[in-house]
Amino acid sequence: MTEHRNIVLVTFDSLRADHCTPWGYERDTTPTLNQWVDEGVTFENAISPASRTNPSMAGIFTGEPLVVRDAVSNPENARRHLERHGTIAEELSDAGYTTGAFCPNAYASRYYGFDRGFDHYEDFLFDSDLYQRVFDKHISDSGLVTAIRNLRNYVLRQEAFKTWDTYIDEMVEWAESQDEPFFLWAFSLDTHFPYLTPRKHRQWSNLFDQYYYNWRCNQLIDEFDIELSEKERRKIVDIYDDSIYFGDVLLAELRERLSDFDPVFVVHGDHGEAFDERGIYGHFYPSLYEENVHVPLVVAGGGIEHETVQDPVSLLDLPEVIRRAGGIHDGKIADLAKKWVIATDFDGRNERDITAIRTQDSKYIRTEDNGTVEHELFDLNTLSADLPAPVEGGEDSPVRQLGERRAAHERELLRIREAATRSETSY
């Protein structure tokens, strides 16, 4: 018997909580996760620190938000952040864990420094210097190179086209060959656009739906002024829900095939996904509304006791969730919830900075867009057309005051870092 529990962290890209059955969704998209909710600790109001993978996972792995305006286009920002704060993988390695990761997401790859602390890191990328150069051109916003990259990935079934069933054997074989305790990070892109589900796992769509409505969805991600019928919107949701159903099968497979190790599973979404709630599709446009940051977080297996937590928790606390789940730190996992949590997003290309404060019942969002500041306060208990109702006024609201102070802190961090960068380049 090992002193610490084996840990399996399962990250689903673009998985929003309200499309998972335990969060009240009308479809049974997550039968395995449903069982784990009944067994383990469930955070009803888990909030991602950002609405895109790179800044979100940089915050999740370190416990500190990534406050920069060019997280994706400048990989050095994530590398510095992960090095400065240290990652949960590094900490687990120091505690005696063997660490392994299988992550086909380019924006959480070793290119951005996410391999820190892992004994084995498989990101299925950069098998040649040529593709490295292609990716460099892609993140510098070259439309032609991006199209070539997407075509290459489609043909080879890499990156966003790589489904979990093509590498689960590698994950299981890695775990079976390690000394215990081990930490395994399994990243699934199946719930990320394009939503491509093998035929036998489709519940609400067919082959035509998948290809046609992924194409339509791609148009909507690139442009905001395309009109969509209610049927088309529903069809796009259908292929997304099928991708969730398929992703849920990964949980069942991992639990069955790793049962001899009795690991504790930590399951979460890295951020959510929008479907025209406010004229936005996907997560490529920075947004801190609920559809983009409210995600599932469930901890089950390995002797974890059942509990449901209503107070919000930030995924910035995920390192401590893992420590307590693995028995490295004492304390109840459920006690990590707070009265309020933060989320941030920065869009350097459009000079758009967003700060959100989330409580159990309310949410404040401050958006500064090219010097113009907008304040939004929502009552999450009041719904109108499936959206939280905005609250009039609210200038003296405590949640708004918290948000204003947090935004001022972030603006100061940005000024300091930009000044430091200018200083470095001047020598």
Side-chain angles (χ1 to χ4, degrees), residues 28-43:
D28 189 13
T29 53
T30 55
T32 303
L33 191 62
N34 296 354
Q35 297 174 16
W36 294 11
V37 165
D38 292 337
E39 300 168 8
V41 177
T42 302
F43 291 93

Side-chain angles (χ1 to χ4, degrees), residues 24-63:
Y25 198 47
E26 66 271 15
R27 288 174 166 172
D28 189 13
T29 53
T30 55
T32 303
L33 191 62
N34 296 354
Q35 297 174 16
W36 294 11
V37 165
D38 292 337
E39 300 168 8
V41 177
T42 302
F43 291 93
E44 292 281 349
N45 292 292
I47 302 300
S48 172
S51 65
R52 293 170 292 175
T53 294
N54 184 269
S56 173
M57 290 307 307
I60 289 169
F61 264 32
T62 62

Side-chain angles (χ1 to χ4, degrees), residues 75 89 106 111 120 132 141 149 180 183 185 187 191 273 287 337:
Y111 183 73
H120 176 81
Q132 175 75 70
D141 197 30
R149 167 181 173 257
E180 298 180 71
F183 170 60
W185 182 32
F187 195 110
T191 46
E273 193 84 326
S287 163

Side-chain angles (χ1 to χ4, degrees), residues 411-422:
R411 291 197 300 276
E412 184 63 22
L413 286 178
L414 286 168
R415 283 193 291 268
I416 291 171
R417 288 173 182 169
E418 289 167 356
T421 300
R422 287 194 300 270

Side-chain angles (χ1 to χ4, degrees), residues 257-393:
R257 297 178 65 175
L258 298 177
S259 60
D260 289 346
F261 300 101
D262 191 27
V264 57
F265 288 89
V266 181
V267 182
H268 72 103
D270 66 342
H271 54 75
E273 193 84 326
F275 292 103
D276 199 32
E277 287 83 359
R278 299 160 221 277
I280 299 171
Y281 277 83
H283 59 275
F284 303 94
Y285 186 75
S287 163
L288 298 182
Y289 295 112
E290 289 294 279
E291 57 270 19
N292 281 115
V293 294
H294 182 202
V295 296
L297 175 57
V298 179
V299 185
I304 299 295
E305 296 183 358
H306 174 65
E307 192 163 357
T308 301
V309 184
Q310 296 295 332
D311 280 335
V313 67
S314 171
L315 292 191
L316 294 173
D317 290 312
L318 200 57
E320 183 61 18
V321 169
I322 291 171
R323 295 182 196 108
R324 296 187 185 188
I328 300 165
H329 284 184
D330 295 330
K332 292 177 60 178
I333 296 170
D335 289 345
L336 293 170
K338 299 176 174 64
K339 294 302 180 185
W340 58 272
V341 297
I342 65 168
T344 56
D345 223 330
F346 307 96
D347 184 1
R349 187 180 305 167
N350 297 305
E351 297 185 17
R352 188 171 185 266
D353 302 337
I354 316 172
T355 302
I357 300 292
R358 172 65 146 77
T359 72
Q360 181 178 331
D361 301 313
S362 63
K363 184 168 190 175
Y364 164 74
I365 299 177
R366 180 190 188 277
T367 303
E368 184 167 346
D369 194 344
N370 287 294
T372 300
V373 178
E374 180 181 356
H375 306 275
E376 296 175 279
L377 184 63
F378 299 95
D379 179 356
L380 300 180
N381 294 317
T382 305
L383 299 180
S384 175
D386 298 324
L387 295 176
V391 177
E392 297 296 331

Side-chain angles (χ1 to χ4, degrees), residues 22-298:
W23 278 261
Y25 198 47
E26 66 271 15
R27 288 174 166 172
D28 189 13
T29 53
T30 55
T32 303
L33 191 62
N34 296 354
Q35 297 174 16
W36 294 11
V37 165
D38 292 337
E39 300 168 8
V41 177
T42 302
F43 291 93
E44 292 281 349
N45 292 292
I47 302 300
S48 172
S51 65
R52 293 170 292 175
T53 294
N54 184 269
S56 173
M57 290 307 307
I60 289 169
F61 264 32
T62 62
E64 295 289 336
L66 177 60
V67 183
V68 295
R69 287 201 175 96
D70 52 354
V72 173
S73 62
N74 184 357
E76 191 60 33
N77 281 318
R79 295 173 194 150
R80 288 177 177 174
H81 181 84
L82 295 164
E83 180 180 11
R84 176 186 178 190
H85 296 288
T87 69
I88 184 60
E90 290 178 294
E91 186 174 341
L92 292 174
S93 182
D94 291 341
Y97 277 79
T98 305
T99 55
F102 295 81
C103 174
N105 189 317
Y107 303 106
S109 67
R110 56 196 144 105
Y111 183 73
Y112 287 90
F114 283 91
D115 58 335
R116 295 187 65 88
F118 284 102
D119 301 310
H120 176 81
Y121 196 93
E122 179 58 78
D123 54 18
F124 312 98
L125 295 174
F126 311 130
D127 52 359
S128 69
D129 291 339
L130 175 60
Y131 187 65
Q132 175 75 70
R133 292 195 295 272
V134 168
F135 191 81
D136 288 339
K137 289 287 188 180
H138 155 69
I139 63 173
S140 66
D141 197 30
S142 170
L144 175 61
V145 172
T146 295
I148 294 172
R149 167 181 173 257
N150 290 338
L151 178 61
R152 176 259 188 198
N153 289 336
Y154 173 75
V155 172
L156 298 179
R157 289 297 192 261
Q158 295 294 319
E159 294 191 45
F161 300 95
K162 191 170 187 66
T163 53
W164 65 258
D165 54 333
T166 62
Y167 58 96
I168 188 172
D169 289 344
E170 294 179 52
M171 292 192 286
V172 173
E173 288 169 7
W174 177 87
E176 291 175 340
S177 64
Q178 305 309 312
D179 294 329
E180 298 180 71
F182 63 75
F183 170 60
L184 169 63
W185 182 32
F187 195 110
S188 168
L189 268 167
D190 300 274
T191 46
H192 184 284
F193 173 83
Y195 318 114
L196 299 174
T197 302
R199 180 173 58 84
K200 69 177 181 179
H201 296 291
R202 295 179 203 140
Q203 302 294 308
W204 301 284
S205 68
N206 55 41
L207 184 64
F208 171 81
D209 292 340
Q210 287 210 348
Y211 281 93
Y212 178 76
Y213 290 105
N214 270 305
W215 171 72
R216 286 292 281 152
C217 194
N218 185 64
Q219 292 180 303
L220 295 159
I221 289 170
D222 291 337
E223 301 180 42
F224 297 131
D225 58 353
I226 296 177
E227 291 294 328
L228 202 69
S229 70
E230 180 56 33
K231 176 186 175 182
E232 288 179 303
R233 180 190 175 279
R234 186 70 249 177
K235 286 289 188 178
I236 290 174
V237 170
D238 287 345
I239 60 176
Y240 175 68
D241 288 348
D242 270 343
S243 77
I244 298 174
Y245 187 85
F246 177 52
D248 185 80
V249 180
L250 169 62
L251 300 180
E253 288 281 331
L254 286 173
R255 181 171 231 182
E256 178 181 353
R257 297 178 65 175
L258 298 177
S259 60
D260 289 346
F261 300 101
D262 191 27
V264 57
F265 288 89
V266 181
V267 182
H268 72 103
D270 66 342
H271 54 75
E273 193 84 326
F275 292 103
D276 199 32
E277 287 83 359
R278 299 160 221 277
I280 299 171
Y281 277 83
H283 59 275
F284 303 94
Y285 186 75
S287 163
L288 298 182
Y289 295 112
E290 289 294 279
E291 57 270 19
N292 281 115
V293 294
H294 182 202
V295 296
L297 175 57
V298 179

